[in-house]
Amino acid sequence: MITVFGSINVDISVAAPRLPAPGETVLGGESLLSPGGKGANQAHAARRFGAGVCMAGAVGDDAFAAPALEQLVAAGVDIGGVASVAGQSTGVALIVLDAHGENTIVVAPGANLAASAAQLSDQQLRDSGALLLQLETDVAASMALARRARAQGCKVIMNASPLDQGLRLDPQAVDILIVNEDELRQLASGAGVADATPAALAAALAGRYANEVLVTLGAKGALLADAGGKVLTAPAFAVEVVDTTGAGDTFAGVFAAAIAEGEPRERAMLYASAAAALACTRRGAQAAQPDRQQIEQLMASQAHATHQSTQQGESA
Ligand code: RIB
């Protein structure tokens, strides 16, 4: 079982031929209203993978609260840790999607910022194989929870996204930090480390924070560095990209679920990488997340392709 403390939003996304420049209006196509939020997306991904998941966070007392939670409930996520905050709006994300599946996102956090570490008991943390955090809720609340979770023997995994609030981040309170390449470079330059490969930057940060740093690299896969400088890698999976919204969340949720299950790091990264690829093949965040069978099918097909190309390379 894992616990996710994080944001719960309603996403309003519009597909457009391209992302608008500042001051420009672009006519888009179909709009989609769907559940999102980095915390909720990660909880949903972990549940789809097969983990028992407890979600903690906050929604408002408005008309968006129910649609924000409905897919979590349908998937069997325990939302007992979600507070309803009177007088607040549920978080809303405005998303523009271009023809290549890339996006821009603006979030109105609303009730998410009222989510409190007190919503989770020490017993809940003791019972969890991992606590998964992001940065769309109050960072101080997340860090307080991270320290409490560690004291209760619960592994803390944080997806440090979005990083603009990152100044109050305490990576030393986190066991595994998940970042994309931009976030890695921001953290590294803040720590005075620059001009190096992602593997070297991740290893330098892991050494400094005495933890593990996992970097998602898009089409280049992912890598994980530990404090001793050891680096593991996972490949990316080739798919036809429709919408990248929530792909990073899918990666983090599935990785945390696999780690809590006791999978070795490399295998957990492979599950996460395949799940994130599949999440790009459909519109929406949670609606696009695959189940474990679909993830394993993609892994098997890639293993087959890799094996074939190795054999062809050997005989050439
Ligand atoms: O990572 C994607 C998510 O970011 C969206 O679902 C949106 O709600 C924002 O939180």
Side-chain angles (χ1 to χ4, degrees):
M1 197 263 286
I2 73 164
T3 295
V4 181
F5 177 79
S7 58
I8 303 162
N9 295 336
V10 160
D11 290 353
I12 302 172
S13 83
V14 180
R18 61 190 165 77
L19 305 177
E24 187 189 20
T25 300
V26 172
L27 280 185
E30 206 183 321
S31 69
L32 179 74
L33 193 144
S34 58
K38 293 188 190 303
N41 294 346
Q42 293 179 14
H44 189 263
R47 179 70 195 132
R48 291 280 285 157
F49 184 69
V53 182
C54 172
M55 175 81 212
V59 292
D61 60 355
D62 56 0
F64 277 160
L69 293 170
E70 71 189 4
Q71 207 143 345
L72 291 180
V73 173
V77 172
D78 173 2
I79 60 161
V82 177
S84 170
V85 187
Q88 290 268 2
S89 308
T90 299
V92 175
L94 300 179
I95 302 176
V96 183
L97 193 64
D98 76 9
H100 309 289
E102 291 301 333
N103 59 46
T104 57
I105 304 179
V106 179
V107 176
N112 286 307
L113 294 181
S116 149
Q119 288 168 226
L120 287 168
S121 68
D122 285 349
Q123 185 63 52
Q124 170 69 42
L125 296 170
R126 274 197 294 279
D127 291 345
S128 301
L131 170 70
L132 181 56
L133 304 165
Q134 323 75 33
L135 296 177
E136 274 185 346
T137 42
D138 178 58
V139 180
S142 294
M143 295 320 314
L145 198 54
R147 291 186 197 100
R148 263 183 55 214
R150 267 191 157 180
Q152 301 303 322
C154 173
K155 185 178 288 300
V156 179
I157 303 176
M158 174 179 272
N159 176 208
S161 179
L163 197 54
D164 54 349
Q165 298 180 67
L167 289 179
R168 287 178 292 147
L169 196 63
D170 175 11
Q172 277 166 325
V174 171
D175 295 298
I176 306 178
L177 195 65
I178 305 179
V179 287
N180 64 25
E181 195 169 346
D182 286 344
E183 292 153 356
L184 172 73
R185 292 198 182 277
Q186 277 186 62
L187 278 178
S189 92
V193 192
D195 293 334
T197 63
L201 290 176
L205 288 183
R208 177 169 301 213
Y209 302 146
N211 64 9
E212 292 168 83
V213 175
L214 171 49
V215 189
T216 57
L217 298 165
K220 289 176 278 172
L223 65 86
L224 181 145
D226 70 15
K230 185 171 155 205
V231 177
L232 303 174
T233 59
F237 290 78
V239 291
E240 206 161 305
V241 174
V242 173
D243 180 359
T244 56
T245 308
D249 300 333
T250 306
F251 186 101
V254 169
F255 177 79
I259 289 294
E261 217 179 66
E263 291 287 354
R265 301 288 191 268
E266 246 165 334
R267 182 85 179 154
M269 289 163 72
L270 211 52
Y271 277 126
S273 184
L278 287 166
C280 295
T281 60
R282 288 175 58 194
R283 278 288 295 273
Q286 293 166 36
Q289 290 174 332
D291 65 16
R292 191 172 190 135
Q293 196 185 0
Q294 293 166 322
I295 295 168
E296 286 176 345
Q297 268 169 9
L298 182 62
M299 286 163 65
S301 70
Q302 163 103 2
H304 179 65
T306 310
H307 180 62
Q308 265 190 344
S309 69
T310 309
Q311 282 187 327
Q312 280 161 9
E314 281 165 1
S315 61

